Amino acid sequence: MAKKIQAVRGMRDILPGQTPLWQFVEDTARRVFQSYAYGEIRTPVLEMTELFKRSIGEVTDIVEKEMYSFEDRNGDSLTLRPEGTAGCVRACMENGLLHNQTQRLWYQGAMFRHERPQKGRYRQFEQIGLEAYGMAGPDIDLEVILVSARLWKELGISGLELQINTLGTPDERKAYRTRLVEYLRAHQDRLDEDSLRRLETNPLRVLDSKNPEMTDIITGAPSLMDDLGEESRTHFEVIVRGLEAAGVDYVVNPRLVRGLDYYSRTVFEWMTDLLGAQGTVCAGGRYDGLVEQLGGRPTPAVGFGMGVDRVVAVLEELGAAPTDADPHAYLVLAGDQVQAPGLVLAEELRNLLPGLRLQVNCGGGSFKSQFKKADRSGARVALILGEDELRQQQVGVKWLREQRDQVSLAQGQLAAFLKEEIGE
Ligand code: ATP
Ligand code: MG
């Protein structure tokens, strides 16, 4: 036998038993985004490698070691997108969506990062994200965070912690950087290898370390809040006061810096303690510098990305029952003569009852084997069409999950009956 080919490491199949939960998250997100008048944008999975180098930053985990990059047949360096923001900005610039106008956008799709696979961390994962362009004030930061808070409410997820911080303006960050480097140098002997490297290249990212041995050093680090000017301070205040007014709990975490380079002022993360080390289910913030960095005019921007894999895992941990996708009814077709009329009858029922989930027995089989399949399908009733029923324009109805007598119904009454019994 030929050797079986397996899925790429870190990339998963999501099977029909699991997809209802994914669809629940995706449908809910779409509905919530629409309720804030955000429009969907779809961008390619592949982009020029340069886009990510210039936006995410060379000295980041993603660009340093996580990207799926390769040369295509023309010798262009392409990369499977590791996140959604860069492509979204690129698309908006290319299509003139940022010129003298504001934009509220959302996207959904697969992202790719070559990381060590573990629970909540995969090499292909799904993000649903949201971006708002052209608005500089704290009101839109607040709105974006409120969208995420509503998402959890609509998904029935409670117990997430909102952590928020401000990174100030680039100038304020520079001042802070000097103080931070001083502090880190003083504790150089306790820094791990990654942090030593970052100390030279991108010291703020030392605060983003996942190494538990670094926790003490990070906790003792100076706070960027002390370097904030009046404007940044007010910007931040408006957001946290707004969260309070809206009844959204938050924790100010002065060490929250986020892994990507393009953030300014507001950053936030929604954390769970249900998934071990992979605690962040959604992360975002303001990135006013990015559009200019990519060659556009300075454009204020704010957004977030939510890890759908992790949100689904949280729902599973919370014991969320996936929305029922089993068929309501299974149509048993007894005899060769009834195959085609059976499929036609099923079409008519679906015309009359758009919510009906009806599975038709295909491939024939004995009465017994068809009932076995009907039972396994999860359907509540079996509809039986044999040659007698066909002649008499009737259908037999047998309940599969409860003790009730089998009945015969005129085909014309079937839709009304199903509507009543199944509530569709
Ligand atoms: P982490 O610190 O967990 O590596 P990150 O800072 O790299 O996350 P972002 O780039 O902010 O993550 O991506 C936004 C969200 O996407 C994360 O909060 C997380 O929920 C999800 N995410 C990121 N990387 C992965 C991955 N490899 N597998 C599954 N989900 C992921
Ligand atoms: Mg990461």
Side-chain angles (χ1 to χ4, degrees):
M1 234 170 29
K3 188 167 175 274
K4 289 207 186 86
I5 297 172
Q6 298 196 315
V8 175
R9 182 168 139 79
M11 304 199 180
R12 306 185 287 164
D13 304 305
I14 315 289
L15 303 178
Q18 306 165 294
T19 43
L21 218 44
W22 289 73
Q23 290 166 353
F24 170 57
V25 175
E26 292 158 353
D27 293 347
T28 305
R30 180 180 315 157
R31 194 162 38 75
V32 168
F33 295 161
Q34 277 170 355
S35 79
Y36 289 79
Y38 283 66
E40 186 188 3
I41 185 165
R42 301 187 184 202
T43 66
V45 169
L46 272 180
E47 298 275 1
M48 306 299 289
T49 300
E50 192 58 24
L51 174 69
F52 301 114
K53 287 194 174 167
R54 267 172 61 187
S55 59
I56 299 170
E58 301 262 6
V59 194
T60 54
D61 284 349
I62 293 181
V63 173
E64 274 179 345
K65 50 189 184 199
E66 295 175 359
M67 293 208 299
Y68 279 90
S69 302
F70 60 93
E71 276 193 6
D72 77 354
R73 290 169 193 278
N74 304 325
D76 292 327
S77 177
L78 306 182
T79 294
L80 281 166
R81 63 181 177 197
E83 52 94 61
T85 298
C88 187
V89 168
R90 199 260 321 126
C92 285
M93 286 169 51
E94 197 167 328
N95 294 284
L97 301 189
L98 301 180
H99 193 61
N100 288 333
Q101 55 198 311
T102 61
Q103 290 292 346
R104 285 177 163 87
L105 302 170
W106 68 272
Y107 61 83
Q108 162 191 332
M111 307 295 160
F112 303 83
R113 298 185 194 178
H114 196 275
E115 307 199 61
R116 193 167 68 77
Q118 51 197 295
K119 187 177 179 185
R121 196 175 289 286
Y122 308 98
R123 292 182 172 178
Q124 173 174 336
F125 59 100
E126 185 178 317
Q127 275 187 355
I128 297 180
L130 176 144
E131 319 282 3
Y133 299 111
M135 292 163 275
D139 47 356
I140 188 69
D141 305 43
L142 180 59
E143 176 178 284
V144 163
I145 300 174
L146 291 176
V147 176
S148 58
R150 181 170 299 275
L151 206 48
W152 314 133
K153 198 162 95 185
E154 300 278 319
L155 290 169
I157 297 178
S158 57
L160 297 184
E161 181 178 275
L162 171 61
Q163 297 192 356
I164 181 165
N165 188 27
T166 175
L167 301 179
T169 63
D171 279 347
E172 289 156 0
R173 215 154 51 236
K174 223 191 226 158
Y176 172 66
R177 191 183 147 121
T178 312
R179 288 202 301 134
L180 180 65
V181 169
E182 238 166 63
Y183 166 85
L184 292 174
R185 286 249 157 79
H187 297 84
Q188 199 150 355
D189 50 326
R190 287 164 60 199
L191 297 184
D192 64 12
E193 198 183 313
D194 260 352
S195 301
L196 279 172
R197 199 164 40 83
R198 287 170 179 166
L199 177 56
E200 300 307 324
T201 53
N202 192 348
L204 253 74
R205 299 220 43 247
V206 174
L207 303 179
D208 199 32
S209 167
K210 301 258 162 22
N211 182 353
E213 283 167 26
M214 295 288 299
T215 311
D216 283 350
I217 297 225
I218 291 170
T219 315
S223 166
L224 199 150
M225 291 283 174
D226 303 331
D227 294 291
L228 291 185
E230 190 56 36
E231 238 180 287
S232 287
R233 207 178 288 270
T234 309
H235 190 101
F236 190 62
E237 280 297 307
V238 171
I239 297 167
V240 294
R241 293 291 94 81
L243 289 172
E244 282 158 21
V248 176
D249 293 335
Y250 65 89
V251 175
V252 176
N253 175 1
R255 321 284 168 232
L256 184 68
V257 293
R258 312 270 314 109
L260 312 183
D261 268 357
Y262 50 55
Y263 286 98
S264 57
R265 291 212 165 123
T266 321
V267 286
F268 66 93
E269 292 195 3
W270 287 93
M271 317 284 288
T272 175
D273 48 20
L274 295 172
L275 304 180
Q278 275 54 254
T280 308
V281 293
C282 173
R286 180 165 278 283
Y287 53 99
D288 290 345
L290 180 59
V291 177
E292 201 180 2
Q293 204 170 305
L294 289 175
R297 296 180 199 204
T299 306
V302 49
F304 68 69
M306 167 179 105
V308 181
D309 303 66
R310 292 185 193 174
V311 173
V312 167
V314 166
L315 284 169
E316 279 166 354
E317 290 291 329
L318 294 173
T323 37
D324 190 5
D326 287 344
H328 296 116
Y330 188 100
L331 180 55
V332 170
L333 298 176
D336 292 342
Q337 307 305 314
V338 301
Q339 308 280 327
L343 285 164
V344 172
L345 174 65
E347 289 303 308
E348 285 163 3
L349 288 173
R350 292 190 189 98
N351 288 341
L352 294 167
L353 296 172
L356 177 68
R357 297 191 297 273
L358 172 62
Q359 186 168 334
V360 178
N361 189 86
C362 288
S366 69
F367 219 57
K368 197 173 157 205
S369 81
Q370 290 198 40
F371 268 104
K372 226 187 215 161
K373 286 200 270 179
D375 190 50
R376 250 188 272 135
S377 76
R380 203 176 138 211
V381 294
L383 307 175
I384 306 148
L385 186 68
E387 279 162 26
D388 284 347
E389 283 87 357
L390 184 63
R391 256 193 312 279
Q392 293 158 23
Q393 296 278 294
Q394 290 200 324
V395 171
V397 177
K398 184 174 159 48
W399 278 266
L400 297 169
R401 320 276 155 208
E402 51 211 299
Q403 293 292 337
R404 282 168 75 171
D405 291 335
Q406 184 171 329
V407 295
S408 246
L409 286 179
Q411 285 180 15
Q413 292 169 354
L414 196 51
F417 163 83
L418 286 171
K419 192 175 166 87
E420 181 74 13
E421 283 296 318
I422 284 153
E424 292 287 343

